[in-house]
Amino acid sequence: MIEIKNLCKYYTMGDTKIKALDNINLSISENEFVSIVGPSGSGKSTLMNIIGCLDVCDSGYYILNGININEMSESELADVRNKQIGFIFQNFNLLPKMNAVENVEVPLLYRGISEKKCRERAMECLEKVKLKGREYHRPNQLSGGQQQRVAIARALAGGPKIILADEPTGALDRKTSEKIMGTMKELHKNGQTIILITHDLKVAKQAKRIVSMEDGKLEDGKLYMEGD
């Protein structure tokens, strides 16, 4: 599903050129649950932005479902983000004036889907993450864990090939984090491809495969399977 070869990304700070990603090579298959773990500044967020088509590399290439992302225009990248990738963020990124079901409908409305079908799909996704009965609550009426489940439902609504989760438990307490990770595992069990970005090794180990990053590089010998 994902093939990344010799990928590099640079940033300029004053007169200094910084290599944020240094010759990254990574393959992710359909239905995998992979975590990318590393400390702040390791390059994992930069890699996430490129995988999520929010940014592009400076050299190397990124193939997603047989498509060379490097060759796409900004409008084409936006289309990929909307249709093939579901995003989950640490701070939920819900619209405060919208209730749960309206928040879940947002990516569908951008596709021009009818209001009736948007509502039906949003309700299905909220039920899937066990939020039946909370559909008309606004974010400030929901707990942190419930808000994150709304965010997961929103990510699922468009039927994406990949769920890209950036520190999905970072703003939650331990017990709530465990529940959210339980939801992620259930989605994976049902066939969803998930890429989880985290600095927390305990969270990372709940994926089926871990890739470790440091100083812009994928660490050799840092691939594990759960239980190893």
Side-chain angles (χ1 to χ4, degrees), residues 141-204:
Q141 298 172 311
L142 299 169
S143 68
Q146 288 171 337
Q147 289 183 63
Q148 191 59 294
R149 278 189 277 160
V150 173
I152 293 171
R154 180 182 58 193
L156 290 171
K161 300 284 186 182
I162 299 166
I163 293 290
L164 191 54
D166 183 16
E167 301 280 6
T169 63
L172 306 173
D173 60 51
R174 182 185 59 80
K175 187 175 181 180
T176 306
S177 296
E178 290 173 355
K179 291 180 179 179
I180 291 299
M181 288 308 300
T183 300
M184 302 285 278
K185 288 178 181 179
E186 189 173 334
L187 293 175
H188 172 249
K189 186 178 178 181
N190 291 333
Q192 183 69 56
T193 304
I194 300 174
I195 303 172
L196 172 69
I197 313 295
T198 183
H199 69 280
D200 189 336
L201 188 57
K202 288 183 179 179
V203 172

Side-chain angles (χ1 to χ4, degrees), residues 88-94 98-101 103-104 125-155 168-169 171-173 175-181 183:
I88 303 169
F89 300 99
Q90 177 175 342
N91 295 317
F92 323 133
N93 286 11
L94 301 179
M98 290 186 174
N99 61 36
V101 70
N103 266 284
V104 175
C125 290
L126 286 170
E127 186 169 358
K128 187 176 290 188
V129 297
K130 299 179 173 59
L131 279 180
K132 190 171 183 180
R134 296 286 188 273
E135 298 94 334
Y136 300 104
H137 288 61
R138 290 188 178 184
N140 64 1
Q141 298 172 311
L142 299 169
S143 68
Q146 288 171 337
Q147 289 183 63
Q148 191 59 294
R149 278 189 277 160
V150 173
I152 293 171
R154 180 182 58 193
T169 63
L172 306 173
D173 60 51
K175 187 175 181 180
T176 306
S177 296
E178 290 173 355
K179 291 180 179 179
I180 291 299
M181 288 308 300
T183 300

Side-chain angles (χ1 to χ4, degrees), residues 27-45:
S27 295
I28 297 174
S29 301
E30 189 173 359
N31 300 338
E32 271 204 275
F33 185 1
V34 179
S35 62
I36 300 174
V37 66
S40 178
S42 63
K44 63 185 187 299
S45 293

Side-chain angles (χ1 to χ4, degrees), residues 39-99:
S40 178
S42 63
K44 63 185 187 299
S45 293
T46 302
L47 181 58
M48 182 209 75
N49 287 339
I50 291 174
I51 292 173
C53 298
L54 296 165
D55 201 355
V56 293
C57 62
D58 292 311
S59 63
Y61 66 83
Y62 168 29
I63 306 296
L64 173 62
N65 290 324
I67 301 169
N68 190 338
I69 296 300
N70 302 36
E71 298 175 352
M72 303 189 83
S73 67
E74 182 51 47
S75 62
E76 288 171 331
L77 289 173
D79 193 56
V80 170
R81 290 194 297 268
N82 183 255
K83 294 180 179 177
Q84 297 202 44
I85 302 170
F87 293 91
I88 303 169
F89 300 99
Q90 177 175 342
N91 295 317
F92 323 133
N93 286 11
L94 301 179
L95 299 170
K97 293 184 178 180
M98 290 186 174
N99 61 36

